[in-house]
Amino acid sequence: MFSNNVPPKLSKICLRLIFLLCIFSNPAAILCKMCEASIRTTIRAENEVEAHKLANNYRFGFRKWKSHVTERPIEDRSDVVKELYSDLNYIKHHSGSLVTVGNVIYVLLFGWWISLFYFLVSLLMFCTIAGIPYGKLCLQLSGYFLWPFGKALQKVSGKICRTFLKHIEVIKESSEVKESTPLLRSAPAVTTEIPLTTPPPKQTRYWCRPSTYVWLVLGYPLLAVVHFLAIFLSWILVFTIPVSKMNVRTVSIILLMPPEEVIIRTVKKVILLCCYRAFNWYYYKFTVDGINVFAVNLLPLVIITLVIGYMDKDNYYVSSEVKFATAVSSIIPLSYYIGMGIASISAQSNFAVGAVVNATFGSITEMAFYITALLQGHRAGNKCYAEIVKSALTGTLLGCILFIPGICMIIGGCKHREQRFNSRSAGVSSALLFISIGGVFAPTLFSKAYGNFICEGCNNSPGNTTKPFLCNNCHYDLSENNRPLFLSHIEPLVYTISVLLPSAYLIGLIFTLKTHSHIYDIHISDAHCHGADHGAVVHWSRARALVVLILATVLMAACADLSTEHIKPIISNSSVSQYFIGVTVLAMVPELPEIVNGIQFALQNNISLSLEVGSCIAVQVCMLQIPLLILFNAFYDVGFVLIFSDLHLWASIFSVILVNYIFMDGKSDYFQGTALVVVYLILLALYFFAPAPLGC
């Protein structure tokens, strides 16, 4: 536009003048464009498949699973992530002291006993005479595994003579051209190979030596067990995965090599490390075939839960409390797999298939628990289970309205000071929240207006005309006990609301998907546009994702059945109110992945998506899950009545009013988040000290 001779400052002034002229010539159009840009939520995707996933998941208002469904090129990742997926046979410079907290913890957790076993195996090899070469190797490895930092294992051939110069270490080998290959190292070594004129001595082939078979029978199996135990423990701890990699490489490569080909080197000028640090806190990002490492490590918990739950029916070996704890904890990894399956299928499918999958499996985690709890209470003739389900529903509402936005605002505000979010999309969510709360609690308000107020245990001393009556257990006769009111008025109202709420949700989908889709502005990142044309490589195909989704759903139903079966001792003998158990443990444990996702969005300065995580779950509870429970109760009467206690009613109404007031200005900071979290804790205190609900 301007020639190269124009100064930069003059160019900026000219551009500003042109912008002002455009505003004065057509101010309405310019302002409309600016307002439209200001209300958009920009969601960036790396390729077309990820963009499709975001379009189907975010706009639907279903789970905001952050996991990628496509493989990301390792060369495009940060150096921190590249290190997570690297093998321990590459060169890496290391500066600073090797005596770190993580390395010291390695010695305390792993180093001393691995070193001890190597020392014991070395003694065993020395006793066999034939295994003396392996005894020497084990003795060296004993010192190596006690403190492997600053050392390297290398593969060599022939005898080695070392001479040290100022900055060069010269390695002489007894062969014309020999290879020095790193086995476990992480820093460069400057080496020069000097061929000698003496011919190499003849060596017996590896599989023709008696020492090899002595080693494979007596030494290797013992050390393999030690290394497998170290691999398991370090992998479960996640942050010590470098230790797991080191042990895997040792047991699979190093211990199966001739002992004379393995040497341990300590380099002073340039540090060679098999694993330069034992701990790496960034391993929470590590994935296995697209699955987060925590979800992989928690999967055995599901198997343990099913085994102890269905094999030990009489609680002979494991108590009901332990079974309940493991069953509830198993919901966390299964929720992750269900969400990953939903995201993978919807990302590779058209709009209709994505809608069906999201609508079918989007709330399967909570619905599995609610339905099994209602069935358990119906079989036992105990109304307490229905009250527990209502407490869990209300707890999910309160947690998603107050706690998830609050904790995201606090963490995001501490890093970014002040964050702005899309007030237009937040307004849509707020409107749906008002409709949801009004619809769900309308039967409760109706029953309070027209129900009978009943008190039990009222007494008054004879001749008393001044003192009031003393009554106990006063409550509204809200449900089936007042049959005319319930059958003629409350029950038809409940069915009407169960139709209106999903209809309002459908209208909200049409608003965000069709008529006002510009609110969500999805872009493919420029850095990955070149890869989108060639097609992204997905972690899970649609067939695999469907199999995982169905299998995880079946396991979820089994774990939910076990949790409701073994919750009875807890609600019967616990000194804590059953209300509190429902609104905390049963409500928030399935939402833990959502809390983590919301926090990650807030740290990335995308508070708009963090807030929608909680709002969308709350809308799902009211507009999808509760109508589904009413529909289930209509076909199979389990005693679920859509009438809540006063505590649930006023806590939910107050929370919605507060969060809408917070969302009005389109800005958030840690103070507003603190206000939401403090109110949530106050409500939890009310539930903690509340008396037990009727029937418990």
Side-chain angles (χ1 to χ4, degrees):
M1 184 174 181
F2 300 101
S3 64
N4 295 332
N5 298 327
V6 179
K9 290 186 178 180
L10 184 58
S11 300
K12 292 181 180 179
I13 294 173
C14 293
L15 289 173
R16 290 176 183 175
L17 289 174
I18 293 173
F19 177 71
L20 290 175
L21 289 174
C22 291
I23 291 180
F24 285 116
S25 63
N26 194 358
I30 297 295
L31 292 176
C32 287
K33 291 291 183 182
M34 293 173 63
C35 293
E36 183 181 354
S38 66
I39 62 174
R40 288 181 176 178
T41 296
T42 300
I43 306 172
R44 298 197 175 274
E46 297 177 350
N47 50 63
E48 292 180 359
V49 177
E50 292 292 338
H52 198 188
K53 182 201 79 170
L54 294 174
N56 281 342
N57 283 359
Y58 290 121
R59 288 176 176 175
F60 271 119
F62 285 96
R63 300 303 194 207
K64 305 292 190 296
W65 296 100
K66 193 173 182 295
S67 299
H68 282 70
V69 297
T70 58
E71 296 180 6
R72 289 183 283 178
I74 192 65
E75 59 270 12
D76 295 337
R77 309 292 292 274
S78 63
D79 292 336
V80 173
V81 177
K82 288 178 182 178
E83 182 181 344
L84 302 182
Y85 295 95
S86 63
D87 293 327
L88 299 179
N89 60 348
Y90 71 101
I91 296 174
K92 181 178 177 64
H93 289 277
H94 179 72
S95 59
S97 175
L98 295 175
V99 183
T100 62
V101 175
N103 292 349
V104 173
I105 293 177
Y106 161 82
V107 176
L108 299 177
L109 294 182
F110 302 100
W112 69 270
W113 56 272
I114 296 177
S115 175
L116 177 61
F117 274 101
Y118 266 100
F119 179 74
L120 296 176
V121 171
S122 70
L123 296 181
L124 178 62
M125 290 295 102
F126 280 125
C127 293
T128 61
I129 307 300
I132 288 179
Y134 287 97
K136 294 178 180 179
L137 175 63
C138 289
L139 197 59
Q140 293 179 350
L141 291 177
S142 175
Y144 174 79
F145 279 102
L146 182 63
W147 185 265
F149 314 107
K151 304 173 185 177
L153 298 180
Q154 287 193 333
K155 176 183 178 181
V156 296
S157 298
K159 296 181 179 179
I160 296 175
C161 176
R162 296 185 182 181
T163 61
F164 291 92
L165 303 177
K166 273 190 176 181
H167 299 287
I168 299 177
E169 180 183 359
V170 180
I171 301 179
K172 297 181 180 180
E173 297 187 0
S174 57
S175 60
E176 294 185 0
V177 180
K178 292 296 178 184
E179 193 177 87
S180 180
T181 305
L183 296 178
L184 288 174
R185 70 181 182 188
S186 56
V190 183
T191 60
T192 303
E193 298 177 358
I194 302 178
L196 302 180
T197 56
T198 56
K202 280 192 173 183
Q203 296 181 351
T204 311
R205 296 178 61 183
Y206 179 68
W207 295 106
C208 297
R209 309 176 188 175
S211 61
T212 300
Y213 297 95
V214 173
W215 167 249
L216 293 177
V217 172
L218 298 179
Y220 182 80
L222 297 176
L223 293 177
V225 173
V226 172
H227 282 294
F228 282 132
L229 179 60
I231 291 168
F232 174 77
L233 295 176
S234 56
W235 183 269
I236 289 295
L237 294 176
V238 175
F239 302 109
T240 56
I241 287 180
V243 179
S244 180
K245 290 182 178 180
M246 180 174 62
N247 283 271
V248 167
R249 195 165 180 84
T250 301
V251 74
S252 61
I253 297 178
I254 296 171
L255 296 184
L256 296 177
M257 293 174 56
E260 66 273 6
E261 292 187 9
V262 181
I263 62 167
I264 303 174
R265 302 175 60 196
T266 302
V267 184
K268 297 180 180 179
K269 294 296 181 183
V270 182
I271 301 173
L272 293 176
L273 290 172
C274 63
C275 180
Y276 68 94
R277 53 179 175 176
F279 278 67
N280 190 336
W281 302 112
Y282 288 99
Y283 265 97
Y284 73 89
K285 298 181 177 181
F286 191 74
T287 59
V288 180
D289 197 16
I291 306 171
N292 186 271
V293 63
F294 286 104
V296 175
N297 290 348
L298 287 175
L299 196 57
L301 182 63
V302 179
I303 301 174
I304 295 173
T305 298
L306 298 177
V307 171
I308 64 176
Y310 289 108
M311 298 297 291
D312 185 22
K313 287 283 188 179
D314 300 326
N315 301 330
Y316 185 77
Y317 298 101
V318 183
S319 64
S320 291
E321 290 79 3
V322 174
K323 292 180 180 179
F324 173 77
T326 56
V328 172
S329 301
S330 299
I331 293 176
I332 299 174
L334 292 176
S335 299
Y336 180 91
Y337 285 99
I338 290 174
M340 190 70 177
I342 293 174
S344 298
I345 294 175
S346 62
Q348 303 172 68
S349 307
N350 56 26
F351 172 80
V353 175
V356 171
V357 171
N358 276 284
T360 306
F361 295 95
S363 300
I364 196 68
T365 301
E366 294 84 356
M367 293 302 299
F369 172 77
Y370 298 151
I371 291 176
T372 53
L374 292 174
L375 290 173
Q376 187 73 22
H378 178 68
R379 288 193 294 263
N382 191 347
K383 295 182 180 180
C384 186
Y385 286 87
E387 293 299 325
I388 291 292
V389 170
K390 294 175 186 177
S391 298
L393 289 168
T394 308
T396 305
L397 283 177
L398 298 179
C400 295
I401 294 174
L402 297 175
F403 181 73
I404 294 180
I407 198 68
C408 292
M409 286 182 178
I410 292 174
I411 296 177
C414 290
K415 182 177 181 181
H416 301 287
R417 189 177 178 84
E418 183 179 87
Q419 295 178 293
R420 295 181 179 271
F421 55 88
N422 187 342
S423 58
R424 182 68 180 278
S425 62
V428 175
S429 300
S430 299
L432 288 175
L433 276 177
F434 267 117
I435 298 171
S436 303
I437 297 298
V440 167
F441 290 99
T444 305
L445 294 172
F446 183 87
S447 63
K448 290 185 180 301
Y450 297 101
N452 298 323
F453 190 73
I454 299 175
C455 292
E456 299 175 358
C458 295
N459 58 72
N460 188 23
S461 58
N464 179 22
T465 57
T466 58
K467 295 182 179 180
F469 283 93
L470 299 177
C471 299
N472 298 318
N473 195 15
C474 295
H475 60 277
Y476 284 95
D477 191 6
L478 301 178
S479 57
E480 60 270 10
N481 294 328
N482 193 348
R483 300 302 295 176
L485 177 66
F486 179 75
L487 295 175
S488 302
H489 302 281
I490 296 179
E491 192 174 45
L493 175 62
V494 169
Y495 291 144
T496 303
I497 289 172
S498 65
V499 174
L500 292 176
L501 288 179
S503 301
Y505 186 77
L506 181 61
I507 294 172
L509 290 182
I510 295 174
F511 180 83
T512 56
L513 285 170
K514 298 295 183 183
T515 61
H516 289 69
S517 59
H518 59 272
I519 294 177
Y520 298 91
D521 190 14
I522 299 180
H523 297 289
I524 298 178
S525 301
D526 296 335
H528 301 274
C529 284
H530 62 277
D533 297 332
H534 302 287
V537 180
V538 295
H539 289 297
W540 295 0
S541 64
R542 278 181 291 186
R544 179 183 178 185
L546 182 61
V547 171
V548 172
L549 187 57
I550 295 174
L551 183 60
T553 303
V554 173
L555 295 176
M556 176 70 72
C559 291
D561 179 64
L562 290 174
S563 63
T564 55
E565 181 181 349
H566 296 284
I567 197 177
K568 185 177 180 180
I570 296 176
I571 62 178
S572 301
N573 304 323
S574 176
S575 58
V576 180
S577 172
Q578 289 80 0
Y579 282 136
F580 183 78
I581 297 174
V583 299
T584 53
V585 177
L586 303 180
M588 295 308 293
V589 167
E591 310 303 334
L592 284 178
E594 303 302 333
I595 297 174
V596 174
N597 288 341
I599 291 173
Q600 289 180 341
F601 285 131
L603 290 174
Q604 296 169 3
N605 202 18
N606 200 347
I607 192 66
S608 182
L609 291 180
S610 297
L611 301 182
E612 289 180 15
V613 167
S615 298
C616 292
I617 297 174
V619 170
Q620 285 180 56
V621 171
C622 296
M623 293 190 167
L624 288 180
Q625 295 178 13
I626 290 179
L628 286 174
L629 289 176
I630 295 171
L631 180 64
F632 176 77
N633 188 78
F635 285 98
Y636 187 81
D637 189 4
V638 291
F640 180 75
V641 181
L642 195 62
I643 297 176
F644 293 83
S645 67
D646 289 354
L647 189 55
H648 295 329
L649 171 66
W650 301 118
S652 300
I653 292 176
F654 176 72
S655 300
V656 172
I657 294 174
L658 176 63
V659 79
N660 276 275
Y661 175 76
I662 294 292
F663 288 174
M664 283 171 54
D665 59 352
K667 295 183 292 185
S668 70
D669 50 50
Y670 72 89
F671 176 75
Q672 292 178 336
T674 303
L676 293 178
V677 173
V678 168
V679 171
Y680 177 73
L681 295 177
I682 291 173
L683 294 178
L684 288 188
L686 292 178
Y687 282 108
F688 184 84
F689 294 106
L694 294 176
C696 293

